[in-house]
């Protein structure tokens, strides 16, 4: 992985993002974006208006929605970071992780044209599709290799990275960008996720800063956070030819399904994904220095993940929870947390976990109230999604 880009409520760009992580910053508060406000208040973290590079075509940006704009900004940072400008466009691919990522935009459009459907802009016929992000990305960056989406609910971002690695490994491309798309939720999805018991209640309405508390005994569900991230995965020979310095090498991955439509995860499925990734990497569990978990703050999910980490032999590793700072970006989460892992590995420093006052398993290697210096050679990142999907990635620090 030779390039990365990120935007979240705590910072746009990898330098600002890393600084915010290590300070333990947050940006939680009432959600106020149009199409997201409802009679019931929701807590979350919304990104400021993205700073858009001047090189972007004004024509291309016309009619671009929130998810699409975040994607373009993040792709540009990853593209520049990896120095892809001189790459053969037919040997570069793009994989977008996420499904139904523009729900709020659709709600706003439906409301605006409910009484005048004959005036609906024809571009709606393209923009409602997630593949619109592929079209925008390939047009802006001249990508001519494969471009498609993959959906894995909250594991989508990491699933996109795995798909990008598969494309590179197969020889179909020399480089592939994996994007975890911004899941632009409307009040409808927020209502449903709260009704499911997955999203936190209004218990911390008066103290939004306390609401996101993965792995803490007082957690009561995830807190939504807007985010988007991308990484560039490429052949080592291609990177070496350009003099690109890798953040890390993907040494193993695995995807496991529980055969379960419901939102409840399983220890067996998550542990199977971790073991599969370790086996592919040829990596004994004892050599893993750090784990970046899914860690949403849900009542059942955190308990299951802790048990899976133990079952896979990783109880000795240092662990922190990025969602305690950023919130849960859903389709973007796996990519955002991968970028957080890459930046921490390069900085040899781990960010603190907010609100981890009473860990549900105090014996694990939590990084809690302050940043911690920690050299990392091998790291594991984990994601999970509704429908019983678990993913795991093994990373080795770049040379």
């Amino acid at each position: 992985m030779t390039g990365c880009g990120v935007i979240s409520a705590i910072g746009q760009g990898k330098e600002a993002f890393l600084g915010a992580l290590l300070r333990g910053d947050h940006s939680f508060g009432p959600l106020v974006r149009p199409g997201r406000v409802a009679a019931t208040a929701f807590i979350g973290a919304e990104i400021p208006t993205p700073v858009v590079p001047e090189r972007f075509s004004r024509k291309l940006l016309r009619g671009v929605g929130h998810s699409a704009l975040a994607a373009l900004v993040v792709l540009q940072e990853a593209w520049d970071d990896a120095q892809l400008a001189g790459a053969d466009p037919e040997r570069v691919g793009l994989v977008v992780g996420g499904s139904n990522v523009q729900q709020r935009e659709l709600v706003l459009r439906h409301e605006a044209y409910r009484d005048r459907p004959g005036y609906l802009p024809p571009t709606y016929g393209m923009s409602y599709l997630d593949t619109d992000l592929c079209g925008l990305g390939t047009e802006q960056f001249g990508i001519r290799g494969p471009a498609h989406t993959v959906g894995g609910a909250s594991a989508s971002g990491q699933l996109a990275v795995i798909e990008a690695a598969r494309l590179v490994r197969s020889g179909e491309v020399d480089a592939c960008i994996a994007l975890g798309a911004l899941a632009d939720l409307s009040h409808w999805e927020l209502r449903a996720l709260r009704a499911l018991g997955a999203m936190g209640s209004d218990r911390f309405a008066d103290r939004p800063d306390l609401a996101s508390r993965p792995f803490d005994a007082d957690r009561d569900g995830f807190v939504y956070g807007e985010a988007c991230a991308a990484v560039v995965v490429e052949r080592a020979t291609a990177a070496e030819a350009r003099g690109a310095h890798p953040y890390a090498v993907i040494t193993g991955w695995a995807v496991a399904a529980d055969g379960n439509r419901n939102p409840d995860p399983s220890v067996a499925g998550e542990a199977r994904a971790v073991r599969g990734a370790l086996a592919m990497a040829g990596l004994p569990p004892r050599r893993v220095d750090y784990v970046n978990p899914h860690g949403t703050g849900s009542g059942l999910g955190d308990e299951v993940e802790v048990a899976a980490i133990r079952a896979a032999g990783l109880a000795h590793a240092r662990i922190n929870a990025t969602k305690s700072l950023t919130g849960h970006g859903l389709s973007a989460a796996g990519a955002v947390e991968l970028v957080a892992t890459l930046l921490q590995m390069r900085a040899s420093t781990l960010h603190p976990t907010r609100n981890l006052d009473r860990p549900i398993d105090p014996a694990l290697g939590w990084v809690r109230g302050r940043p911690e210096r920690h050299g990392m050679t091998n790291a594991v990142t984990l994601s999970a999604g509704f429908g019983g999907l678990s993913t795991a990635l093994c990373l080795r620090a770049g040379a």
Side-chain angles (χ1 to χ4, degrees):
M1 287 175 285
T2 54
C4 63
V6 64
I7 186 169
S8 78
I10 60 172
Q12 175 178 336
K14 59 181 185 178
E15 293 182 5
F17 183 60
L18 177 61
L21 287 176
L22 297 184
R23 289 190 301 270
D25 290 353
H26 79 92
S27 188
F28 296 114
L31 297 175
V32 298
R33 210 176 288 287
R36 203 173 278 159
V37 179
T40 301
F42 295 110
I43 292 172
E46 295 174 327
I47 64 175
T49 302
V51 178
V52 180
E54 293 184 0
R55 71 189 88 173
F56 281 2
S57 160
R58 299 301 106 179
K59 179 182 177 182
L60 182 69
L61 294 179
R62 196 176 303 139
V64 163
H66 190 46
S67 295
L69 183 60
L72 287 171
V73 167
V74 162
L75 287 170
Q76 186 69 68
E77 183 179 22
W79 182 273
D80 290 344
D81 194 24
Q83 307 168 53
L84 282 178
D88 180 351
E90 295 185 5
R91 300 288 299 170
V92 178
L94 172 64
V95 180
V96 174
S99 302
N100 311 113
V101 298
Q102 304 186 79
Q103 295 298 101
R104 188 185 63 88
E105 295 282 348
L106 301 184
V107 166
L108 293 175
R109 195 65 62 93
H110 294 168
E111 291 176 352
Y113 291 94
R114 178 182 293 111
D115 299 325
R116 50 193 188 112
Y119 292 91
L120 182 70
T123 53
Y124 179 81
M126 298 183 300
S127 63
Y128 84 92
L129 296 166
D130 296 323
T131 49
D132 193 41
L133 273 63
C134 294
L136 288 164
T138 56
E139 180 175 339
Q140 175 63 31
F141 300 101
I143 295 169
R144 296 294 181 268
H148 59 268
T149 66
V150 294
S154 295
S156 295
Q158 192 165 103
L159 194 61
V161 177
I162 292 171
E163 178 65 11
R166 286 171 172 161
L167 285 169
V168 171
R169 194 182 192 204
S170 73
E172 190 169 346
V173 295
D174 295 327
C176 191
I177 309 173
L179 174 81
L182 188 153
D184 192 7
L185 302 188
S186 78
H187 63 89
W188 292 110
E189 291 76 47
L190 295 173
R191 291 175 193 270
L193 289 165
R194 177 172 285 182
L196 272 175
M199 196 173 76
S201 68
D202 58 2
R203 174 181 167 198
F204 295 101
D206 295 331
R207 288 293 306 275
D209 59 308
L210 300 180
S212 186
R213 43 196 325 114
F215 302 110
D216 186 75
D218 292 327
R219 71 199 183 283
D220 76 342
F222 80 78
V223 178
Y224 170 66
E226 291 185 338
C228 182
V231 296
V232 176
V233 181
E234 61 178 311
R235 288 178 173 278
T237 52
E240 290 166 2
R242 295 196 321 282
H245 179 65
Y247 286 89
V249 177
I250 300 174
T251 55
W253 63 77
V255 181
D258 293 338
N260 177 15
R261 180 199 178 195
N262 297 317
D264 51 305
S266 80
V267 175
E270 293 190 14
R272 186 155 51 92
V274 178
R275 293 190 186 107
L278 291 171
M280 181 179 178
L283 183 64
R286 67 179 182 277
R287 289 179 53 198
V288 174
D289 306 301
Y290 166 67
V291 175
N292 188 292
H294 189 54
T296 64
S298 72
L300 179 60
D302 285 8
E303 295 276 0
V304 166
E305 188 166 21
V306 162
I309 287 170
R310 283 197 169 278
L314 300 181
H316 66 281
R318 303 304 289 168
I319 306 172
N320 55 14
T322 302
K323 290 183 182 70
S324 71
L325 308 176
T326 63
H328 189 358
L330 301 170
S331 53
V336 170
E337 287 145 22
L338 174 57
V339 170
T341 299
L342 297 177
L343 297 177
Q344 289 178 100
M345 291 180 81
R346 182 165 282 188
S348 296
T349 308
L350 296 174
H351 71 70
T353 304
R354 284 184 56 82
N355 300 323
L356 189 54
D357 301 324
R358 294 192 298 146
I360 57 176
D361 187 339
L364 291 184
W366 305 109
V367 183
R368 295 173 64 182
R370 59 182 60 86
E372 178 183 301
R373 292 290 295 175
H374 185 59
M376 291 166 274
T377 300
N378 296 296
V380 172
T381 68
L382 308 176
S383 285
F386 285 174
L389 181 68
S390 299
T391 61
L393 277 174
C394 292
L395 314 172
R396 186 178 69 243

